[in-house]
Amino acid sequence: MKASDADILIIPGYTNSGPSHWQSRWEAKLSTARRVEQAEWTKPVREDWIARIAEEVNASTRPVILVAHSLGVTSAIHAIPHFRKPVAGAFFVAPPDVANPDIRPKHLMTFGPYPRDPLPFPSITVASRNDPFGSYEHADDIASSWGSFLVDAGEAGHINADSGHGPWPEGTMVFAQFLSRLSA
């Protein structure tokens, strides 16, 4: 599948993805990409975030590719039962451990726990060995339960602009390879 054949939904996490974040850069470069906007980025409400993601998936006219980061991953996973249109694949990056009582801010725990059912579409989960919001072991565990292929990003922090992953060429290559293996 080519990026131009799909509706690519960019699903940012807590506080959104700023202009230097890899998600914002991908959105600007991919003609069929659009951001799933949330009404409240700094005080997220699980049900609202889930509803917005499902709304965008269900409004799509082409096969859907989810590109979720951090709390966007959690929200996308919870939204799956509400999808009325098929999803061709998902690219999940830096899933946070929302069941960890040390997570800050505390209200992010309302997004947990993750559903552990196998996903009804192919997916890749990219995780870092030193992500302050979720351990690699946690990412490995949930990716395994979903049937998602886990990519080890090494010591890459939270894989965001703050950890030096604005352009993120390695992510672009993994995403392109993933897309090439999907069928429309």
Side-chain angles (χ1 to χ4, degrees), residues 10-139:
I10 305 292
I11 307 170
Y14 176 64
T15 72
N16 202 350
S17 294
S20 60
H21 193 286
W22 61 268
Q23 280 188 312
S24 298
R25 292 168 186 250
W26 289 15
E27 181 183 5
K29 286 184 179 180
L30 299 167
S31 63
T32 62
R34 69 180 185 273
R35 182 176 305 243
V36 176
E37 293 290 345
Q38 298 292 350
E40 186 53 70
W41 288 107
T42 59
K43 292 182 183 164
V45 176
R46 175 177 152 164
E47 293 75 21
D48 294 348
W49 279 40
I50 290 168
R52 279 293 300 129
I53 294 167
E55 183 179 317
E56 289 293 335
V57 168
N58 296 333
S60 295
T61 57
R62 292 177 283 233
V64 173
I65 306 294
L66 307 174
V67 178
H69 179 259
S70 192
L71 197 62
V73 175
T74 315
S75 303
I77 293 291
H78 283 297
I80 292 170
H82 306 281
F83 295 168
R84 292 187 309 273
K85 298 262 179 97
V87 169
F91 191 78
F92 298 138
V93 180
D97 184 354
V98 290
N100 182 343
D102 295 330
I103 195 169
R104 296 291 181 269
K106 279 280 205 209
H107 68 271
L108 299 183
M109 286 184 70
T110 63
F111 281 74
Y114 283 96
R116 299 183 62 82
D117 299 325
L119 299 180
F121 44 77
S123 66
I124 285 183
T125 300
V126 181
S128 167
R129 295 262 175 194
N130 64 340
D131 187 336
F133 300 104
S135 70
Y136 184 82
E137 292 73 23
H138 172 261

Side-chain angles (χ1 to χ4, degrees), residues 134-167:
S135 70
Y136 184 82
E137 292 73 23
H138 172 261
D140 185 20
D141 178 53
I142 58 172
S144 177
S145 73
W146 299 334
S148 184
F149 182 78
L150 182 66
V151 174
D152 185 342
E155 293 195 359
H158 195 48
I159 314 176
N160 59 7
D162 291 344
S163 65
H165 296 84

